[in-house]
Amino acid sequence: MAEIAIGALIGNGSVLLVRRSSERRTHPDRWSLPGGHVEDGEDAETALRRELLEEIGVTPQHWLSAGEFVSESPPGAFATFRVYHVDRWQDSPRLIGDEHTALRWFTAAEIECETELAPPQLGEMLLNLLRPKTDNQA
């Protein structure tokens, strides 16, 4: 099963999403988190650092695991997604290469309305990261 490491850069109450190119084999023209496949000999955190630098030109400086989920989207393509909450990074995010066509900061309200997230399980995880924590939450 493929393993994917993706980073949720969060600042000022928003999360940075990238729009996948229409040429992508899976989830074309969908908003997603930057990141990618964990390569042989890598752990997920090493892949996260490499992918964020390759895709959006930032070097993560502080991150925590935000959880993981298994997706079968598209059908027959199982992958484990390891999501990291990145709250400090070096350099400004920018598009690099042709994997993505846009990047944009999304608020929780915008995530709630966005129907083009990939993979679909991402929405609830992003909302959990963006919603303010109350004293009743652990």
Side-chain angles (χ1 to χ4, degrees):
M1 181 181 323
E3 183 178 6
I4 313 289
I6 52 180
L9 277 69
I10 295 182
N12 298 321
S14 298
V15 62
L16 183 71
L17 297 182
V18 291
R19 188 154 184 98
R20 296 171 60 84
S21 162
S22 61
E23 306 298 315
R24 300 297 300 268
R25 192 177 73 227
T26 57
H27 307 297
D29 291 320
R30 299 282 183 179
W31 289 102
S32 190
L33 291 173
H37 286 85
V38 177
E39 296 178 355
D40 289 340
E42 272 186 328
D43 60 27
E45 292 185 12
T46 300
L48 173 74
R49 290 191 303 271
R50 176 182 52 75
E51 289 282 352
L52 291 183
L53 187 58
E54 289 175 1
E55 291 186 4
I56 60 170
V58 302
T59 302
Q61 295 182 312
H62 184 263
W63 62 90
L64 296 168
S65 174
E68 63 183 61
F69 59 88
V70 174
S71 177
E72 186 187 5
S73 178
F78 284 96
T80 299
F81 285 80
R82 303 198 189 285
V83 182
Y84 293 91
H85 171 186
V86 180
D87 60 3
R88 272 198 326 268
W89 57 90
Q90 183 178 334
D91 296 320
S92 295
R94 65 192 186 282
L95 290 175
I96 297 176
D98 59 2
E99 288 186 41
H100 305 103
T101 58
L103 54 82
R104 190 179 130 210
W105 294 94
F106 283 75
T107 64
E110 291 169 318
I111 293 290
E112 286 178 338
C113 297
E114 183 56 56
T115 60
E116 297 185 347
L117 289 176
Q121 297 95 323
L122 208 49
E124 194 59 37
M125 187 170 276
L126 293 177
L127 290 173
N128 287 337
L129 288 172
L130 289 171
R131 285 185 183 129
K133 302 289 185 257
T134 65
D135 290 340
N136 296 343
Q137 293 175 319

